[in-house]
Amino acid sequence: MAKLQDKVAVITGGASGIGAAAARLFAAEGAKVVIVDLNEDKGMAFEADLKALNLPVQFIKANITNEEEVENIFKQTVESFGKVDIVFNNAGIGRVHPSHDLHYSEWRQTVNVDLDGVFLVARESIREMLKTGGGTIVNTASMYGFVGSPGSAAYNAAKGGVINLTRSLALEYAEQNIRINALCPGFIDTPIIPEESKQALVAATPVKRLGKAEEMAKAVLFLASDDSSFMTGSSLTVDGGYTAQ
Ligand SMILES: NC(=O)c1ccc[n+]([C@@H]2O[C@H](COP(=O)([O-])OP(=O)(O)OC[C@H]3O[C@@H](n4cnc5c(N)ncnc54)[C@H](O)[C@@H]3O)[C@@H](O)[C@H]2O)c1
């Protein structure tokens, strides 16, 4: 039997990269999937692709840093599909910029999307799951939530925050049957990675290649489904060995 039969899943950052790979896999595993993204063109095109395969999907344009828009994601999902079982809280941005030259507005923007936005989506997910008796949330952090790197202070600080946000929320809602875990990818071949950086990132990765979005999707499916039924508050690192160094 499919692993997500009759489940309703919301995926933020679902129009591209890791989120899009998870949307395809979740739909193939029987879930009804709500794809949330800021990028309307990509989101609409992706929704059309999946609908052409007869998959039950819906695209919602929303900015995860906007409280009202986040509330609306869940309102619309419940209107369309009746409930929310799974949330892949994955939208994020990343930039490299020397810290001594980083404008405060750029720091704020990164932390706003990568940490504040993740909180807003998690809060709304929990509110909905409390009504129905539980669910699973997977937050996308990064291996850079565990280790540092030059030029990404805001991103790395936000991702470290996501890991401890995950632990804290997991403890808070453990008895309400809401499991909350984090995915910590290494360097994954998606549009967030600039083409000119790829060679150096491959060289820095022990297995000498970038990860694939589909490989992340399989780890997310594990965390989102009953296969990980005794896991909560954990951070699963999937990084081709990078943090083992
Ligand atoms: N690719 C990697 O190497 C890597 C490594 C570690 C962590 N991650 C994390 O994985 C997640 C997914 O990244 P990806 O690699 O698939 O990149 P991606 O750029 O392909 O996808 C991110 C998606 O998030 C959307 N998004 C950005 N800001 C948003 C907002 N405010 N509201 C709604 N949607 C928004 C973008 O439009 C985009 O479609 C991110 O959180 C990223 O930090 C990626």
Side-chain angles (χ1 to χ4, degrees):
M1 181 166 143
K3 286 183 194 281
L4 304 182
Q5 201 59 50
D6 301 326
K7 301 284 187 193
V8 178
V10 172
I11 300 181
T12 69
S16 178
I18 297 169
R24 283 186 194 280
L25 184 58
F26 281 19
E29 288 290 344
K32 300 178 178 92
V33 180
V34 173
I35 297 157
V36 176
D37 209 286
L38 197 53
N39 188 326
E40 190 166 24
D41 291 344
K42 255 183 151 174
M44 300 275 282
F46 189 44
E47 179 193 52
D49 279 357
L50 296 184
K51 279 194 165 156
L53 300 170
N54 271 330
L55 296 171
V57 296
Q58 182 182 348
F59 170 66
I60 299 175
K61 178 183 187 265
N63 185 338
I64 60 157
T65 67
N66 181 308
E67 242 181 309
E68 263 179 44
E69 291 184 24
V70 171
E71 283 166 15
N72 187 47
I73 295 167
F74 290 85
K75 198 166 155 258
Q76 277 197 55
T77 302
V78 171
E79 272 170 23
S80 300
F81 298 122
K83 58 177 182 162
V84 177
D85 300 297
I86 295 166
V87 175
F88 182 28
N89 193 358
N90 163 75
I93 55 172
R95 288 200 193 98
V96 177
H97 200 115
S99 294
H100 67 276
D101 197 33
L102 186 70
H103 199 279
Y104 180 52
S105 61
E106 202 176 321
W107 166 277
R108 280 283 346 129
Q109 197 197 358
T110 302
V111 175
N112 196 24
V113 178
D114 290 346
L115 182 57
D116 299 12
V118 170
F119 168 70
L120 289 177
V121 171
R123 185 185 67 178
E124 235 27 64
S125 310
I126 291 164
R127 284 178 176 167
E128 211 44 62
M129 290 171 183
L130 285 173
K131 293 181 200 162
T132 53
T136 57
I137 301 172
V138 182
N139 297 323
T140 303
S142 166
M143 66 179 181
Y144 281 143
F146 290 114
V147 296
S149 62
S152 298
Y155 181 84
N156 298 352
K159 293 299 188 178
V162 170
I163 290 170
N164 217 22
L165 174 69
T166 301
R167 292 189 190 107
S168 302
L169 293 177
L171 293 177
E172 206 170 332
Y173 296 99
E175 291 185 34
Q176 278 76 36
N177 195 33
I178 303 174
R179 293 192 302 108
I180 308 170
N181 293 290
L183 174 77
C184 300
F187 302 125
I188 312 305
D189 195 0
T190 73
I192 213 173
I193 302 261
E195 205 49 51
E196 62 275 15
S197 317
K198 284 185 182 170
Q199 210 181 339
L201 302 183
V202 168
T205 302
V207 300
K208 299 301 169 210
R209 67 173 177 85
L210 299 180
K212 297 178 190 139
E214 292 73 21
E215 292 174 302
M216 297 305 104
K218 287 179 193 167
V220 180
L221 175 63
F222 169 67
L223 293 174
S225 71
D226 285 345
D227 282 352
S228 62
S229 49
F230 197 53
M231 278 177 82
T232 196
S234 291
S235 294
L236 183 61
T237 305
V238 189
D239 67 355
Y242 187 94
T243 53
Q245 296 175 108

